[in-house]
Amino acid sequence: MFSCLICKSNFKPFIDFGKMPIANDFNKNKSVDYEYKFEMSIGFCNSCKSVQLTNQPDKELMFHENYAFYSSTSSYMDKHFQNFAKDIIKLQNLNENSFVVEIGCNDGIMLKNFDKIKIPSLGIEPSKNVAKVAKEKGLNVLDEFFNKKTALDVVNKFGKCDAILSANVICHIPYIHQIFESVKLVLKNDGVFVFEEPYLYDVINKTSFDQIYDEHVFLFSILSIKKLASMHDLDLFNASKQDTHGGSMRYYLCHKNQKKISNTINEFIKKEKNCGLDDENTYLNFNKKILKIKNDLINLLVKLKKQGKKVVAYGATSKSTTVTNYVGITPDLVKCIYDTTPIKHYTFSPGVKIPILPYEKFRNSDPDYVLLFAWNHLKEIQEKEKDFVVGDKKWILYIPEVKVI
Ligand code: JHZ
Ligand code: SAH
């Protein structure tokens, strides 16, 4: 039994992935001896309806000066964050007298949109390499973890803010109550706390089990965020569905009774209950579907190897660490992974040690099949590769099911 990070009730895991490496530990060292591993299992707390890892590596092992994920590797995401910023500027009527804070700004993909039009802003980003890229863009960045101390430092130095924003970060933080308390310290009375994360509803409906890895301590839903907000005298006043990262939800919070609560919240709750997000059996069923993908994918890759086909992969995503290690995808099945991120080049993937090669080499390779680990960027990538992955060359997808296209 484990104790829920949100409500302290006991819960049991519904799936155990066994020992897993750090998802973003793309390392030049091929030896597995040095590699840190942790027991990765995930459970559902029937009390507060949250889904969470049972344990997580220390944050300093995941977020540091060699963090391998750079946000600005997707032009679609660049556009997405431009629109996110626009949405908040309109919602809060932001201008040069306002103040915006972003938790986990990474290389500045969202923050730059405020800076560009002279809306004062600050990013809080502990991974020093990506924080440096943001600073080089002229952005105001504090390279620390967000917590009570940094919250107080921000208030002392800059005052309270009109909007605290975050994307794909809040679900990474196990000391979630401290985060909500810190947000309350920094937020003006009429300020908003808006964040988005991979949405549990989509993870369940698409069987996107690769959203489960060390960094994602929580898979949030409206049900769990509403509960969390109420524990801190905050209102979840709106929410909006996003198609990023395979399906995300944007949550809008404010201090209690500051904004009218949209009907959308109850509509989403109805949908979540209809799909069984509040029911333990849903997660047992999810487990069965994961097993099917695992079997189908390994069988396909073994069959292709026997046929002498050349299979390579596309996108050394964090998510792929769960897929490769859980399914057992070794370099004899998938020769290499091509990726555009320089820090990942000529490293080996965590655990199974598949070589990572620069994207440019993909165009000179001659694969029969391309396993798409960055399936969440399918549209953007298919468009980019439409003249290369054609004819006899095929994509292999595994979410929501294994298929060749
Ligand atoms: P992508 C990371 O997840 C980690 P990952 C983190 N935990 C999270 O929640 C989300 O991001 C936000 C490459 N690529 O976006 C770049 C190409 O090579 O699916 C990246 O290495 N060519 C914070 O790592 C990877 O694929 C391309 O054309 O699962 C994509 O990683 C494109 C578009 C991407 O996130
Ligand atoms: N918002 C960006 C980056 C997501 S990557 C995007 O959506 O693309 C997650 C980021 O959160 C990393 O850059 C990591 O360093 C940062 N992070 C992790 N824990 C954090 C914390 N406690 N406070 C602030 N940032 C954190």
Side-chain angles (χ1 to χ4, degrees):
M1 282 292 196
F2 294 87
S3 173
C4 172
L5 292 165
I6 295 180
C7 74
K8 297 199 166 68
S9 304
N10 286 337
F11 71 94
K12 286 197 304 257
F14 58 80
I15 182 164
D16 188 348
F17 290 91
K19 290 252 182 257
M20 284 282 153
I22 302 272
N24 266 307
D25 188 11
F26 294 92
N27 205 294
K28 291 210 177 339
N29 189 343
K30 198 179 175 181
S31 159
V32 287
D33 299 340
Y34 78 96
E35 223 174 22
Y36 176 91
K37 292 209 171 162
F38 76 110
E39 196 61 51
M40 192 169 90
S41 63
I42 189 162
F44 165 67
C45 172
N46 207 349
S47 207
C48 69
K49 313 298 178 197
S50 68
V51 171
Q52 59 192 271
L53 292 181
T54 55
N55 67 86
Q56 193 191 31
D58 288 345
K59 59 186 187 316
E60 293 79 7
L61 289 175
M62 299 184 285
F63 308 113
H64 42 64
E65 66 286 355
N66 290 311
Y67 185 54
F69 178 70
Y70 286 68
S71 298
S72 299
T73 42
S74 155
S75 52
Y76 183 83
M77 291 308 295
D78 197 46
K79 185 86 194 138
H80 171 78
F81 284 118
Q82 202 180 316
N83 289 333
F84 190 157
K86 263 193 205 154
D87 173 28
I88 303 303
I89 291 167
K90 188 164 165 224
L91 177 73
Q92 291 294 88
N93 270 320
L94 299 179
N95 57 42
E96 57 280 8
N97 300 314
S98 312
F99 180 41
V100 175
V101 169
E102 186 187 353
I103 305 172
C105 68
N106 199 279
D107 58 13
I109 191 168
M110 171 145 68
L111 212 57
K112 66 179 182 193
N113 296 294
F114 296 101
D115 189 68
K116 207 163 52 192
I117 52 168
K118 307 222 168 353
I119 295 173
S121 60
L122 170 73
I124 300 175
E125 174 49 67
S127 297
K128 297 203 189 306
N129 57 330
V130 292
K132 185 164 171 265
V133 175
K135 285 182 191 175
E136 283 164 1
K137 291 176 184 162
L139 305 176
N140 187 19
V141 181
L142 179 64
D143 47 11
E144 303 276 356
F145 285 96
F146 184 63
N147 54 27
K148 237 186 200 150
K149 183 187 170 299
T150 34
L152 289 171
D153 289 349
V154 170
V155 176
N156 286 336
K157 201 162 167 198
F158 303 98
K160 295 198 177 196
C161 67
D162 301 274
I164 302 187
L165 309 178
S166 198
N168 307 299
V169 179
I170 302 302
C171 72
H172 294 53
I173 311 181
Y175 50 99
I176 193 71
H177 289 300
Q178 191 185 145
I179 293 298
F180 274 59
E181 284 160 17
S182 308
V183 160
K184 286 188 69 162
L185 290 175
V186 185
L187 209 55
K188 282 183 188 166
N189 267 349
D190 58 351
V192 290
F193 173 32
V194 183
F195 61 97
E196 62 184 36
E197 317 277 345
Y199 186 29
L200 178 63
Y201 183 94
D202 290 299
V203 172
I204 295 297
N205 283 312
K206 295 183 179 156
T207 321
S208 44
F209 68 99
D210 54 353
Q211 287 294 2
I212 303 168
Y213 55 90
D214 57 355
E215 295 181 17
H216 289 175
V217 64
F218 295 106
L219 289 173
F220 284 131
S221 59
I222 299 280
L223 282 164
S224 54
I225 292 297
K226 187 165 186 253
K227 167 81 185 169
L228 199 45
S230 73
M231 289 169 94
H232 291 276
D233 268 345
L234 291 166
D235 282 338
L236 172 63
F237 70 92
N238 205 352
S240 79
K241 192 81 179 56
Q242 307 295 322
D243 61 3
T244 50
H245 292 295
S248 296
M249 181 59 84
R250 185 177 296 164
Y251 305 95
Y252 296 76
L253 280 67
C254 62
H255 289 291
K256 207 161 186 53
N257 299 329
Q258 286 295 319
K259 300 224 182 236
K260 185 175 174 303
I261 299 187
S262 158
N263 291 337
T264 316
I265 301 297
N266 281 336
E267 284 160 18
F268 278 129
I269 288 181
K270 221 191 263 168
K271 274 195 191 157
E272 290 185 357
K273 289 188 172 166
N274 280 342
C275 119
L277 295 192
D278 57 344
D279 179 356
E280 282 173 318
N281 291 319
T282 303
Y283 302 96
L284 300 176
N285 199 27
F286 176 49
N287 194 346
K288 285 188 200 147
K289 290 193 195 154
I290 296 174
L291 268 176
K292 175 157 170 41
I293 293 182
K294 175 184 181 167
N295 290 332
D296 290 353
L297 187 55
I298 195 73
N299 290 342
L300 174 65
L301 294 174
V302 168
K303 185 180 91 185
L304 294 176
K305 183 186 168 186
K306 279 190 190 142
Q307 292 173 352
K309 301 289 185 197
K310 181 176 173 187
V311 183
V312 301
Y314 196 114
T317 58
S318 323
K319 297 182 288 292
S320 68
T321 296
T322 296
V323 180
T324 52
N325 287 280
Y326 177 65
V327 175
I329 303 177
T330 39
D332 59 316
L333 297 175
V334 168
K335 213 171 143 34
C336 58
I337 310 173
Y338 296 100
D339 194 285
T340 52
T341 317
I343 198 174
K344 294 180 184 173
H345 296 161
Y346 302 108
T347 65
F348 295 93
S349 72
V352 293
K353 304 292 166 199
I354 301 174
I356 316 294
L357 297 178
Y359 166 71
E360 290 67 29
K361 292 195 179 279
F362 177 62
R363 285 305 184 119
N364 298 322
S365 70
D366 190 22
D368 297 303
Y369 291 85
V370 186
L371 177 59
L372 186 58
F373 284 138
W375 57 267
N376 46 309
H377 300 293
L378 177 68
K379 247 198 218 157
E380 177 175 352
I381 291 172
Q382 259 188 331
E383 178 59 30
K384 193 157 118 189
E385 306 303 345
K386 63 177 189 268
D387 60 329
F388 185 65
V389 186
V390 283
D392 289 342
K393 294 192 192 77
K394 307 267 186 223
W395 292 106
I396 300 175
L397 299 179
Y398 51 88
I399 301 291
E401 61 191 356
V402 176
K403 66 175 176 210
V404 172
I405 57 168

